[in-house]
Amino acid sequence: QVQLVQSGAEVKKPGASVKVSCKASGYTFTSYYMHWVRQAPGQGLEWMGIINPSGGSTSYAQKFQGRVTMTRDTSTSTVYMELSSLRSEDTAVYYCARDLVPAAKGQDYWGQGTLVTVSS
Amino acid sequence: SYELTQPPSVSVSPGQTARITCSGDALPKQYAYWYQQKPGQAPVLVIYKDSERPSGIPERFSGSSSGTTVTLTISGVQAEDEADYYCQSADSSGTSWVFGGGTKLTVL
């Protein structure tokens, strides 16, 4: 069965970086794009970017350009999202979600979420 | 930057029909998707490609599109449908995605 398993909760200080992982199983890793979406406490969903695990190409939301980097490791079927220069407003649950983009099927499987807390 | 606009809240009685709208300039050119999110849970896809329903999603969930507005319709609303609903789509270039602000559905 399809599973997206994310790394555990993180506590970071302002100015630091965080790297969240998302390990995929149960499907062909390189056949599905991966989105990263975050949700601040009590707020809505916010799209951060997308990576194509096949070639590694990425597209980031303008808001995060220069601060976010998405990478993948095809040998372990894992994608990573690194966010730098953290500030308190980055405190949120971060989700990965797969998407068969060319077929426009939407994000049909989501990770369990990773809480990142930024606090001095 | 591109935006999708949803009403903050919708309230209906059990058995009634709930309609949640989402407006955006690029919606005539880009597909819309709808997600249901209950407290403490990850979102769940309920509609893709404007009006397609994933397997396992009840038939009471449907989607439609007209111009710059897409609509999620829940017929015969049940108590378990109480949740936040988000629309999602891409901008006109298709390289950047966005979520609407979300609509809280309350079942009275």
Side-chain angles (χ1 to χ4, degrees), chain A residues 35 37 39 43-47 50 59 95 99 103-108 110-111, chain B residues 1 31 33 35 37 41-43 45 48-49 86 88 95-101:
Chain A
H35 296 263
V37 175
Q39 186 170 38
Q43 302 301 309
L45 302 175
E46 182 173 32
W47 184 80
I50 188 172
S59 178
Y95 294 101
D99 191 339
K105 296 279 194 176
Q107 286 112 75
D108 60 349
W110 292 64
Chain B
S1 60
Y31 286 122
Y33 306 81
Y35 299 87
Q37 188 182 34
Q41 298 182 18
L45 178 69
Y48 67 95
K49 263 189 194 176
Y86 295 90
Q88 185 197 40
T95 59
S96 185
W97 297 69
V98 65
F99 286 96

Side-chain angles (χ1 to χ4, degrees), chain A residues 85-113:
Chain A
S85 303
L86 290 169
R87 32 207 188 235
S88 59
E89 309 90 89
D90 294 318
T91 293
V93 175
Y94 290 76
Y95 294 101
C96 60
R98 77 165 197 176
D99 191 339
L100 193 60
V101 169
K105 296 279 194 176
Q107 286 112 75
D108 60 349
Y109 281 89
W110 292 64
Q112 82 276 19

Side-chain angles (χ1 to χ4, degrees), chain B residues 17 19 24 52 56 86 100 104:
Chain B
T17 296
R19 294 181 179 85
E52 301 292 322
Y86 295 90
K104 182 175 181 57

Side-chain angles (χ1 to χ4, degrees), chain B residues 87-107:
Chain B
C87 62
Q88 185 197 40
S89 188
D91 66 4
S92 55
S93 71
T95 59
S96 185
W97 297 69
V98 65
F99 286 96
T103 299
K104 182 175 181 57
L105 175 65
T106 300
V107 181

Side-chain angles (χ1 to χ4, degrees), chain A residues 33-35 47-52 57-59 70 101, chain B residues 97:
Chain A
Y33 289 61
M34 199 74 78
H35 296 263
W47 184 80
M48 299 182 68
I50 188 172
I51 182 168
N52 179 353
S57 61
T58 56
S59 178
M70 296 177 188
V101 169
Chain B
W97 297 69

Side-chain angles (χ1 to χ4, degrees), chain B residues 37-91:
Chain B
Q37 188 182 34
K38 296 181 179 178
Q41 298 182 18
V44 172
L45 178 69
V46 295
I47 293 290
Y48 67 95
K49 263 189 194 176
D50 292 345
S51 59
E52 301 292 322
R53 195 174 50 250
S55 60
I57 300 301
E59 290 184 8
R60 62 181 182 273
F61 288 88
S62 64
S64 61
S65 175
S66 178
T68 58
T69 299
V70 294
T71 302
L72 173 68
T73 300
I74 310 172
S75 304
V77 167
Q78 301 182 5
E80 67 198 52
D81 299 330
E82 185 163 285
D84 293 325
Y85 291 85
Y86 295 90
C87 62
Q88 185 197 40
S89 188
D91 66 4

